[in-house]
Amino acid sequence: MTSISVLGLGASGEAAAQLALKKGGEVYVSDLHTDPNAHARAQRLREGGAVVDLGGHDLARILASEIVVASPGIPPDAEVLRSMERGGRRWISEPEFAVRFFQGPLIAITGTNGKTTVAALTAHLLRESGFQVGLGGNIGGGLGPAASQLAFQDPPPDWYVLELSSFQLAAVETLTPSIGVLTNLAPDHLDRYPSVEAYYADKAQLFKNAGSESRWVLNQDDALAMALPGDAAGARFTFSLGTPTGAGAGVVDGHLVLKGLPGPGARPGPTAEPNFHSTGEDETGGELQPLIPRGSLPLLGRHNVANALAAAVTARLAGAGLDGIRNGLQTFSPLPHRLEPVADAGGVLWVNDSKATNVAAARSAVESLSRPLVLLLGGKDKGEAFAPLAQVLPGRARLAVLYGEARGRLARELEGSVPLLEVSEGLEGAVAVARRHARSGDVVLLAPACSSFDLFPDYQARGERFRELTS
C-alpha cells in the first residue's frame, strides 16, 4: 500500500487512518467538520505522519489515491462521492479495509434490529468457551471499537466478531465471513435510501463473496431474511421462536434448544433436562440439545429470545461448547438502551429502549412486554410508515406520548389506535406526562421508532437522558 485517502474523521475514519499509517501507507484524511473533536483527531493523525484537511476535501489528491475509505456517515449523494463517481473511482468501507489485515476467521452480523445484541452475546458465549474474541465494527457505544482497531490485536484473536450496518456493507469488495448472520429485515433508513429495496440490497452484500465453506445463520421466522441470500453458496442454519425445522435453534417445551449442531470438538450435551419432554430428537430427525429454560434468559422481550438463539447457533458453529453456551446465556447482562430496565418505583417499571430507532424495533418492544404500557414515541422522522405500530398498540398500550420532530405525523398515523398526547417540551416533557399518567403495574417504555437527531447527538445520549429523568 502506498497511498490511501480516508473520507470522514469520526472514530472509524481515525481508526482506518491509524491502521494505514502502521502499514506504511501515505495517508490523506479529510472531513467537512471543524469541531473540537475533529481537530483533536486531526492532531493525532498529523503526529503520526498523515496529511489532514478539515473543512473540505482535496479531490485531486483523493482521485490519485490507490485506496479510498469512506465513512458510513457520508451519504451516497454527497458531492465528494458524486465527484469520485464522475472520475470513475469507487471507495470501500472501513470494515472492508480492516479485514484485509485480520489474521483469523470472521463472524459478520447484520440485520435491521438485534445485531448489536447478537454480536455482543456471540462474543460472550465464545469467551465463556475459552476463545479469545475481537468484537467491534458498528457495535459502538463502548461495547467494541471500530473494525480497524481490531487489526492491531497481538496476538490475533481466535475469532473476529463484527457488527455491520447497511452503510458499511454498501462498500465491501472482498469481505468474506466464515459465519454470516442476518437477524431480520424491516424497513429502515428511508431518510437515506431511495427505497426499501435499496436498503435490502445493501444488506445482501453480506453474501457477496459466498463460497462453499460459508456458513449462514438466518431467521426462520422472517421470510424476507430467509430469501435475501438468494442462491448464495454455503451451508444454512436457522433460528426460530418455535420448533426448528432444520439444523439450528428453537424453543421446545419452554426450553431454548439446539438441533443438529454437534459442534467441533465439543462434548455432547444431555438429551434431557427437568421438564424438557423430548427423546433427544424431534419429528424432523435431528438431535435436540437443550440449553436453558426460556425463563432463565436475563433479557427482556420475545425478540431477545430470538437474539439469544441466533447467538447460540453462531457460537456453536464457531466451536463453542454446550456448557459455555449455557453459562453464557445465563450470565449475559442486558445491553444499555435495549429494553433496559432503568427504574422501578410505585409499581411502575421504566424501560429504556432508545435503540428502537425504527418502527419494527418499536413494534417488537411493544409486543415483547406483557404489562400495560405508557409508550414514548418520537424523534427525527426517518420516513417510515407508522401504521404497523397502530396495529399492535390496542390492548397493549393505555397511552402513547408523542414528542419531538415526528410527533405530528405520529399523531396522524396512530389516530384511533390508543389515546395520544402530544408534547412540545421534548423528552423531558414526555417523561413528565408519562409520570402523571402511569399507574401501578404499568411499564413506561421509551421505544421512539425514530432517530434521536432532532434533540440528541445519538440514541445513547437520548437513553442516558431518559435514565436521568427517571432516577
Side-chain angles (χ1 to χ4, degrees), residues 52-115:
V52 184
D53 283 340
L54 298 181
H57 304 285
D58 184 340
L59 185 61
R61 187 160 193 160
I62 293 167
L63 290 174
S65 298
E66 290 182 323
I67 298 173
V68 179
V69 178
S71 163
I74 300 177
D77 59 354
E79 181 56 34
V80 64
L81 298 185
R82 287 176 176 255
S83 296
M84 285 188 63
E85 286 182 327
R86 289 193 291 269
R89 290 295 311 277
R90 290 294 299 164
W91 55 91
I92 61 173
S93 68
E94 181 265 334
E96 165 67 31
F97 179 65
V99 299
R100 298 177 182 187
F101 302 97
F102 282 6
Q103 299 180 58
L106 169 65
I107 296 170
I109 298 166
T110 195
T112 300
N113 297 308
K115 53 188 178 291

Side-chain angles (χ1 to χ4, degrees), residues 265-280:
R267 296 187 301 273
T271 58
E273 289 187 0
N275 300 318
F276 183 77
H277 305 297
S278 172
T279 62

Side-chain angles (χ1 to χ4, degrees), residues 28 61 93 142 193 203 224 250 279 291 299 331 425 439 459:
Y28 170 71
R61 187 160 193 160
S93 68
Y193 286 98
K203 290 292 190 188
L224 289 171
T279 62
L291 295 175
L299 299 173
T331 58
E425 298 85 2
R439 305 170 185 167
Y459 74 84

Side-chain angles (χ1 to χ4, degrees), residues 4-269:
I4 174 172
S5 287
V6 178
L7 310 182
L9 192 45
S12 65
E14 181 181 8
Q18 294 285 12
L19 178 58
L21 288 169
K22 182 180 180 183
K23 298 300 179 181
E26 178 186 313
V27 181
Y28 170 71
V29 184
S30 59
D31 196 310
L32 295 179
H33 293 94
T34 58
D35 56 87
N37 282 337
H39 276 287
R41 290 188 170 115
Q43 182 60 29
R44 289 193 290 268
L45 291 174
R46 288 174 180 138
E47 290 171 356
V51 175
V52 184
D53 283 340
L54 298 181
H57 304 285
D58 184 340
L59 185 61
R61 187 160 193 160
I62 293 167
L63 290 174
S65 298
E66 290 182 323
I67 298 173
V68 179
V69 178
S71 163
I74 300 177
D77 59 354
E79 181 56 34
V80 64
L81 298 185
R82 287 176 176 255
S83 296
M84 285 188 63
E85 286 182 327
R86 289 193 291 269
R89 290 295 311 277
R90 290 294 299 164
W91 55 91
I92 61 173
S93 68
E94 181 265 334
E96 165 67 31
F97 179 65
V99 299
R100 298 177 182 187
F101 302 97
F102 282 6
Q103 299 180 58
L106 169 65
I107 296 170
I109 298 166
T110 195
T112 300
N113 297 308
K115 53 188 178 291
T116 295
T117 298
V118 173
L121 183 50
T122 297
H124 181 67
L125 300 182
L126 287 171
R127 288 168 179 149
E128 287 291 307
S129 294
F131 290 93
Q132 297 298 312
V133 181
L135 171 65
N138 189 63
I139 193 164
L143 301 173
S148 292
Q149 287 183 252
L150 298 180
F152 287 87
Q153 289 194 8
D154 185 21
D158 300 310
W159 283 96
Y160 296 92
V161 178
L162 290 184
E163 176 192 329
L164 297 176
S165 70
S166 60
F167 303 156
Q168 293 170 324
L169 285 167
V172 300
E173 290 180 352
T174 62
L175 185 146
T176 307
S178 296
I179 304 172
V181 184
L182 179 61
T183 59
N184 48 58
L185 284 176
D188 199 6
H189 300 300
L190 297 184
D191 52 344
R192 172 156 166 169
Y193 286 98
S195 66
V196 70
E197 290 77 18
Y199 166 61
Y200 291 163
D202 278 356
K203 290 292 190 188
Q205 291 284 91
L206 178 71
F207 308 97
K208 178 177 182 177
N209 299 308
S212 60
E213 299 300 312
S214 301
R215 290 170 289 174
W216 308 112
V217 180
L218 306 172
N219 188 339
Q220 179 183 309
D221 302 331
D222 187 327
L224 289 171
M226 291 294 289
L228 192 71
D231 59 358
R236 302 188 186 191
F237 305 86
T238 61
F239 59 94
S240 171
L241 291 173
T243 302
T245 59
V251 180
V252 176
D253 289 344
H255 278 67
L256 279 64
V257 302
L258 294 176
K259 176 187 170 186
L261 297 176
R267 296 187 301 273

Side-chain angles (χ1 to χ4, degrees), residues 246-452:
V251 180
V252 176
D253 289 344
H255 278 67
L256 279 64
V257 302
L258 294 176
K259 176 187 170 186
L261 297 176
R267 296 187 301 273
T271 58
E273 289 187 0
N275 300 318
F276 183 77
H277 305 297
S278 172
T279 62
E281 293 192 0
D282 72 351
E283 67 277 7
T284 61
E287 182 187 0
L288 291 180
Q289 296 165 322
L291 295 175
I292 63 171
R294 177 171 172 168
S296 297
L297 186 69
L299 299 173
L300 287 177
R302 199 165 161 267
H303 62 287
N304 273 324
V305 178
N307 292 336
L309 293 167
V313 174
T314 305
R316 188 65 163 161
L317 291 174
L322 291 175
D323 288 344
I325 293 174
R326 292 180 181 123
N327 292 337
L329 289 174
Q330 294 178 94
T331 58
F332 184 70
S333 299
L335 297 181
H337 316 301
R338 295 160 178 85
L339 275 189
E340 175 194 20
V342 293
D344 193 344
V348 176
L349 179 65
W350 296 76
V351 176
N352 168 24
D353 201 29
S354 182
K355 187 60 172 69
T357 59
N358 57 59
V359 171
R363 175 173 175 157
S364 179
V366 168
E367 291 180 311
S368 290
L369 299 172
S370 58
R371 289 163 60 172
L373 299 177
V374 175
L375 179 62
L376 276 58
L377 295 167
K380 187 178 187 300
D381 197 329
K382 296 170 74 175
E384 286 185 79
F386 294 120
L389 269 177
Q391 298 166 10
V392 300
L393 294 183
R396 291 186 172 92
R398 291 197 305 100
L399 172 70
V401 183
L402 315 178
Y403 76 97
E405 179 187 293
R407 66 183 184 276
R409 193 164 72 84
L410 277 161
R412 291 191 297 274
E413 297 193 21
L414 299 182
E415 185 178 6
S417 58
V418 294
L420 306 172
L421 285 177
E422 287 188 65
V423 299
S424 58
E425 298 85 2
L427 183 60
E428 290 79 4
V431 168
V433 168
R435 183 172 280 113
R436 288 198 299 270
H437 286 82
R439 305 170 185 167
S440 179
D442 285 352
V443 172
V444 178
L445 172 66
L446 173 66
C450 302
S451 78
S452 61

